[in-house]
Amino acid sequence: MSGPDSDDDRTFKDLNVVGMLHQFWEQKQVKGIMMETENLVVYESIPSPGPPYVCYVTLPGGSCFGNFKYCYSKAEARRDAARIALMNSTFNELPCRRITPEFISCSVKEAVSTTSGNIADASDPGTSIGAYCLMLEFNTGKTMLEFQEIMTVFQLLHWNGTLKAFREMRCSRQDVIHYYSQQRLDERTRSHMALDWLQKEQQSPGLLSQELQLAVKELGEARRTGRELRFYKEKKEILSLALSHANAEDLEGYHSEEMSWREENEFEYYTQERHCLEGSTTDASELCQFHSQESDGESTE
């Protein structure tokens, strides 16, 4: 732990790392490398009566990082979160962090060596290796940070049980990947997932509180190791939303709101001839493990 007047802290003050992070993303916007957003960089300080203070910073596209150090002030936590985000942002610009045919070939070979698959599976999206390869190919040209943003959607769908439901409906992995690779997380998607957890709570009272405690623990552990945090943070927020509507009075209104959402939103999917027409995560090895968990006949819960 570093004290409130540590040399490292004074160095970050001198560097104005918060300003550097903002400038980094502002320049990318000016160059037209990224889409225009309402807020370039968003900070969120967690209320606390005293240290350690925690701050999260969300980058354009949704990638999230938090302070790594034990921080004695909100300003220190903000600087440390910005430092972690800036390091990842600049590292993400290196050529080795962009998905290319060469990168895909090496990643698939590595995946084969660490799973029970073989290289021939790469051409079959129905296999774990094939789904992994397809996911990479679909995102050729993107950086690993951009890829992680897309992967977060699939991680949440897996965690929420949605991918398992698609498999039971015999939706093809190929269609699921194509559809959800183009979807962004928004309030309606979170509300839909929160409703799913409300229904699980009705079946198993106390489940929400248990899952939320676990999500908070996982988020803290991931933050202290300097990892990208959006998946963990989204889980916490979805469960918190569900818990806030967990009493019977709120649940009825929430169901009505959800039905309206289902009617208006293109998130709905349809099946025909056992095939999904529409609607069906940043280390490459983590993605392969994720797809291995989605193998046919294997539980996703």
Side-chain angles (χ1 to χ4, degrees):
M1 297 180 187
S2 57
D5 297 318
S6 69
D7 290 339
D8 285 346
D9 192 46
R10 287 195 295 271
T11 299
F12 296 141
K13 287 180 181 178
D14 294 339
L15 288 176
N16 186 19
V17 69
V18 172
M20 292 171 65
L21 179 64
H22 179 83
Q23 184 179 38
F24 175 90
W25 285 98
E26 189 176 53
Q27 289 177 345
K28 287 178 71 69
Q29 188 180 52
V30 170
K31 293 177 181 178
I33 298 176
M34 51 169 274
M35 294 180 63
E36 200 170 318
T37 56
E38 294 182 5
N39 297 294
L40 282 173
V41 179
V42 179
Y43 292 90
E44 178 188 354
S45 295
I46 304 303
S48 174
Y53 290 96
V54 174
C55 181
Y56 299 104
V57 54
T58 301
L59 304 177
S63 294
C64 179
F65 299 92
N67 56 299
F68 176 81
K69 299 193 306 177
Y70 185 105
C71 296
Y72 289 85
S73 70
K74 292 181 180 178
E76 182 186 4
R78 181 184 176 98
R79 286 192 295 272
D80 197 50
R83 176 179 67 90
I84 299 297
L86 181 61
M87 289 171 59
N88 280 275
S89 296
T90 53
F91 181 60
N92 191 57
E93 296 298 299
L94 297 177
C96 64
R97 299 293 291 174
R98 193 168 293 277
I99 299 176
T100 63
E102 293 76 15
F103 176 91
I104 295 174
S105 177
C106 291
S107 297
V108 170
K109 290 177 181 177
E110 181 180 352
V112 169
S113 68
T114 57
T115 65
S116 58
N118 59 72
I119 198 66
D121 292 338
S123 59
D124 181 5
T127 65
S128 297
I129 295 295
Y132 174 52
C133 183
L134 178 65
M135 189 76 166
L136 289 171
E137 290 174 345
F138 195 78
N139 291 281
T140 298
K142 288 184 169 64
T143 65
M144 289 305 294
L145 204 56
E146 292 170 327
F147 185 50
Q148 177 61 38
E149 293 162 3
I150 296 172
M151 182 60 182
T152 298
V153 176
F154 288 94
Q155 287 177 301
L156 288 170
L157 292 172
H158 167 61
W159 163 72
N160 200 50
T162 303
L163 292 184
K164 179 183 180 181
F166 282 149
R167 190 177 67 243
E168 291 174 347
M169 294 172 64
R170 301 191 181 278
C171 300
S172 75
R173 284 180 174 175
Q174 190 169 4
D175 284 336
V176 170
I177 290 173
H178 276 243
Y179 180 78
Y180 278 104
S181 291
Q182 302 175 55
Q183 304 304 307
R184 299 179 66 86
L185 287 171
D186 55 24
E187 290 305 317
R188 289 189 171 186
T189 304
R190 295 184 186 95
S191 295
H192 177 248
M193 292 189 176
L195 178 66
D196 288 340
W197 281 100
L198 277 171
Q199 294 171 338
K200 293 177 183 180
E201 172 71 11
Q202 288 183 312
Q203 298 170 359
S204 304
L207 177 64
L208 271 178
S209 295
Q210 180 181 345
E211 288 290 329
L212 182 57
Q213 290 177 7
L214 178 60
V216 170
K217 179 182 178 182
E218 291 176 344
L219 176 60
E221 292 174 346
R223 177 180 59 80
R224 288 187 290 272
T225 57
R227 299 184 64 180
E228 200 278 325
L229 302 174
R230 189 175 189 191
F231 170 59
Y232 305 99
K233 194 165 180 291
E234 290 285 354
K235 281 205 303 184
K236 172 181 172 291
E237 293 178 355
I238 289 168
L239 291 168
S240 296
L241 176 62
L243 195 59
S244 71
H245 291 84
N247 66 67
E249 293 181 357
D250 286 344
L251 190 57
E252 182 177 352
Y254 202 71
H255 270 283
S256 298
E257 177 183 343
E258 179 62 19
M259 287 306 296
S260 174
W261 177 87
R262 288 180 186 273
E263 292 172 0
E264 297 173 0
N265 198 276
E266 64 178 4
F267 186 83
E268 293 186 18
Y269 53 86
Y270 305 90
T271 57
Q272 182 179 27
E273 295 180 356
R274 300 166 66 178
H275 187 76
C276 266
L277 296 179
E278 290 186 36
S280 153
T281 30
T282 63
D283 188 271
S285 60
E286 290 183 350
L287 175 60
C288 182
Q289 293 171 5
F290 166 70
H291 280 297
S292 293
Q293 292 174 332
E294 285 300 307
S295 295
D296 291 339
E298 190 171 341
S299 174
T300 60
E301 296 184 341

